[in-house]
Amino acid sequence: MAEAVFHPPRRKRRVFESYEAPFPVDVGGKDFRLCQAEIINNNVIVRNPEDIEQLYNKGYFGKGILSRSRPVFSISDPQLVAKWRGVNTNMPIITSQKYQRRVQWAKSVLQEQGLDNCSITRILENYTKPLGLPLSTGDGAEPTGDSCTRGGPRPGHAQLSQNSAGTEGAQSPESQNGGSEEGHAAVGPGRSREQEQGDSGEQEQGHSREMAEGSCHRDPPVLRGCQVKQSPEQSSWEGMDSRECAPEYVLVQEEEEGSSSPEDDSTHAQENLVKKEVLVCRKNPFRIFEYLQLSLEEAFFLVYALGCLSIYYGEEPLSIVKLWEVFSEVKPDFKTTYMAYHYFRGKGWVPKVGLKYGTDLLLYRKGPPFYHASYSVIAELVDDNFEGSLRRPLSWMSLSGLNRTTANASKELMLCYLIRPSDMTAEEMSTPECMKRIKVQELIVTRWVSSRERSEQDEF
């Protein structure tokens, strides 16, 4: 058997973050944080934003359920964010089409709850009406359009307007005539600083009242982001935090028809009608939350090895032995894959699920943002004689195909054999303490190329 040649990990070209820590545990114990997770439909979910940031940034545990990897999902349209980059706000910016799609989703859920169409229409109209929220622009920053006016601070329809036809400082007829009955307003050059500050104070009070009125007990569950109880397994979802019960505000880009010279006669005004793009503040009727989903191996490692996670089923936290039993029932080969995960994590690698490449684990140096995966790992539990019921017996054809797939992805195939003593009983395997008697042997599979081997022999 030839000796394995270890190749250095391939570093990614574009790295936009710094390496914080290998584990989400404070070594000194000063800032130690005990995170919480829940078992929902046989999945381990972390919902607290602070816990999500702690677990992913320090060790890259889990995956955002709405993101590719890092939990950074946002409903904002990137093109609109770039277009309105001068708007200093932390609210998402979406198109009117996407907003109407969410209104339809909310309508469908309300219909499933047995409400009649009149009630649904009234609820959605009251919930999605334009709101007045204070908006401000950055220091000297302007949107990429030709003009932009700051959103009206009156407690009505807050908006930022932008002339799509390129007219400088164009305003809607409602704003030039002092506002419509619905409270459309935009700050124009004719308003004094005192008026703006006074109206801003009124707007902040209106915003506080709006937030108070949008409390969790007044809005339907679909509109406030709170989920309806569906099964005993999901009873833990009833304890919603303030983030999920509070309404979410979004800026919707809409188009309005305005006149660049409203004082002219009607014929001339019709010729000068232009399309204005405005940002209107509304409530999001159908909220989608980003959660962190942990694999069973990651969740158990955080509980057993690091002690920085508590996993709840309903309202009861599960013990380590109970988790070992539950995870083994959910995933029959959990014991094998976890032993391999625990071993490589202890060696400094960051193991992730290798389902995409047909293996059990992928091994990263430091984490996925910094390096490409170096190895694809298949874990097998055998006895002292390397015998046992293999999880996936490989033929020469399947092994060659798997090795070729791994090599095409610039990785190496590794077989990880977990060797248990022949006298180990099933009772010992019922607790994670059995890992103390487990030995590990790694075998790297490489493709033998006859021409390359012959040329190397000729050099000698």
Side-chain angles (χ1 to χ4, degrees):
M1 181 181 297
E3 184 179 355
V5 178
F6 294 93
H7 302 282
R10 290 197 313 120
R11 188 176 181 86
K12 290 188 175 180
R13 295 181 179 179
R14 296 183 179 90
V15 179
F16 303 100
E17 59 185 275
S18 58
Y19 184 69
E20 291 190 21
F23 301 121
V25 176
D26 183 30
V27 178
K30 179 180 178 181
D31 298 327
F32 176 77
R33 178 183 179 85
L34 184 62
C35 303
Q36 292 187 3
E38 297 168 298
I39 297 181
I40 306 295
N41 295 331
N42 296 333
N43 296 311
V44 181
I45 301 295
V46 180
R47 297 188 296 147
N48 190 306
E50 296 180 358
D51 294 345
I52 292 175
E53 181 179 1
Q54 178 87 355
L55 294 178
Y56 190 87
N57 291 346
K58 297 182 179 180
Y60 302 99
F61 291 91
K63 174 189 177 299
I65 62 173
L66 301 177
S67 306
R68 295 184 60 183
S69 180
R70 178 180 294 276
V72 291
F73 171 78
S74 174
I75 64 175
S76 290
D77 191 331
Q79 295 180 353
L80 292 183
V81 173
K83 180 179 180 180
W84 295 90
R85 64 175 180 268
V87 180
N88 185 17
T89 179
N90 57 357
M91 288 185 289
I93 303 177
I94 61 176
T95 60
S96 58
Q97 292 81 4
K98 290 186 178 180
Y99 186 80
Q100 291 302 322
R101 190 183 308 161
R102 281 165 173 75
V103 174
Q104 292 299 324
W105 292 344
K107 182 178 180 180
S108 301
V109 177
L110 291 176
Q111 288 176 346
E112 294 177 357
Q113 296 177 2
L115 298 178
D116 57 280
N117 292 332
C118 295
S119 300
I120 294 175
T121 303
R122 185 175 64 254
I123 291 173
L124 291 178
E125 285 180 354
N126 293 334
Y127 196 87
T128 61
K129 63 183 179 181
L131 301 174
L133 294 178
L135 301 173
S136 60
T137 55
D139 297 334
E142 292 288 339
T144 55
D146 296 320
S147 65
C148 175
T149 55
R150 193 172 62 175
R154 295 181 181 177
H157 182 161
Q159 64 182 25
L160 283 94
S161 61
Q162 178 175 308
N163 192 342
S164 61
T167 304
E168 283 290 335
Q171 299 178 4
S172 63
E174 292 87 348
S175 62
Q176 293 180 355
N177 294 332
S180 64
E181 294 179 358
E182 296 179 355
H184 293 251
V187 176
R191 296 177 60 85
S192 64
R193 184 178 303 272
E194 291 78 6
Q195 290 175 327
E196 293 182 13
Q197 293 176 351
D199 289 345
S200 299
E202 295 177 2
Q203 180 55 36
E204 292 178 358
Q205 296 178 358
H207 174 49
S208 301
R209 290 194 300 268
E210 186 65 40
M211 293 293 291
E213 292 175 358
S215 59
C216 194
H217 65 278
R218 297 192 58 178
D219 295 325
V222 63
L223 301 180
R224 67 174 183 257
C226 297
Q227 309 227 354
V228 182
K229 182 179 179 182
Q230 298 178 357
S231 65
E233 211 171 32
Q234 295 176 336
S235 60
S236 60
W237 289 85
E238 293 180 345
M240 293 293 170
D241 55 18
S242 58
R243 177 182 71 99
E244 299 182 357
C245 292
E248 180 185 30
Y249 297 94
V250 297
L251 294 177
V252 185
Q253 177 177 282
E254 301 177 357
E255 290 187 354
E256 286 186 353
E257 286 190 356
S259 175
S260 60
S261 55
E263 297 178 357
D264 296 342
D265 55 4
S266 58
T267 304
H268 188 64
Q270 289 292 334
E271 296 176 356
N272 293 333
L273 284 178
V274 293
K275 292 280 188 179
K276 289 181 56 179
E277 294 177 346
V278 296
L279 290 181
V280 182
C281 181
R282 300 178 186 270
K283 285 182 182 180
N284 184 9
F286 192 92
R287 301 188 63 181
I288 302 176
F289 294 98
E290 173 82 290
Y291 302 128
L292 187 71
Q293 180 174 353
L294 300 173
S295 67
L296 300 183
E297 292 80 10
E298 290 174 327
F300 194 83
F301 183 84
L302 291 169
V303 175
Y304 173 70
L306 302 183
C308 63
L309 181 70
S310 294
I311 301 179
Y312 287 76
Y313 183 79
E315 298 181 356
E316 178 184 0
L318 301 181
S319 63
I320 293 177
V321 177
K322 186 64 177 179
L323 284 174
W324 183 264
E325 177 184 349
V326 170
F327 288 170
S328 299
E329 293 179 359
V330 173
K331 186 178 179 180
D333 56 352
F334 166 75
K335 297 176 182 179
T336 302
T337 55
Y338 176 75
M339 290 178 186
Y341 182 93
H342 189 105
Y343 172 77
F344 289 113
R345 263 289 182 180
K347 293 294 184 180
W349 294 95
V350 177
K352 305 296 288 187
V353 177
L355 182 62
K356 182 166 59 175
Y357 297 100
T359 57
D360 298 321
L361 299 173
L362 294 176
L363 300 185
Y364 293 86
R365 182 174 184 262
K366 286 190 175 181
F370 307 100
Y371 292 90
H372 295 278
S374 299
Y375 300 99
S376 296
V377 181
I378 294 179
E380 292 288 358
L381 183 63
V382 296
D383 56 14
D384 294 336
N385 299 321
F386 281 81
E387 296 178 355
S389 57
L390 299 180
R391 297 171 46 250
R392 48 182 304 177
L394 297 173
S395 63
W396 284 111
M397 184 177 298
S398 61
L399 181 60
S400 177
L402 184 60
N403 189 31
R404 179 64 64 89
T405 302
T406 305
N408 289 342
S410 300
K411 298 172 180 54
E412 293 185 89
L413 181 61
M414 179 186 295
L415 303 180
C416 178
Y417 290 101
L418 304 163
I419 306 172
R420 66 175 183 179
S422 301
D423 58 348
M424 180 175 288
T425 62
E427 183 179 356
E428 293 182 74
M429 292 289 295
S430 61
T431 64
E433 296 298 319
C434 64
M435 289 189 293
K436 296 179 179 180
R437 302 184 60 189
I438 298 294
K439 298 180 180 180
V440 181
Q441 181 170 345
E442 306 159 1
L443 179 64
I444 297 179
V445 181
T446 58
R447 178 169 170 260
W448 183 76
V449 182
S450 60
S451 59
R452 184 188 307 168
E453 187 73 16
R454 186 168 56 252
S455 62
E456 292 178 356
Q457 293 294 333
D458 294 341
E459 293 178 359
F460 291 104

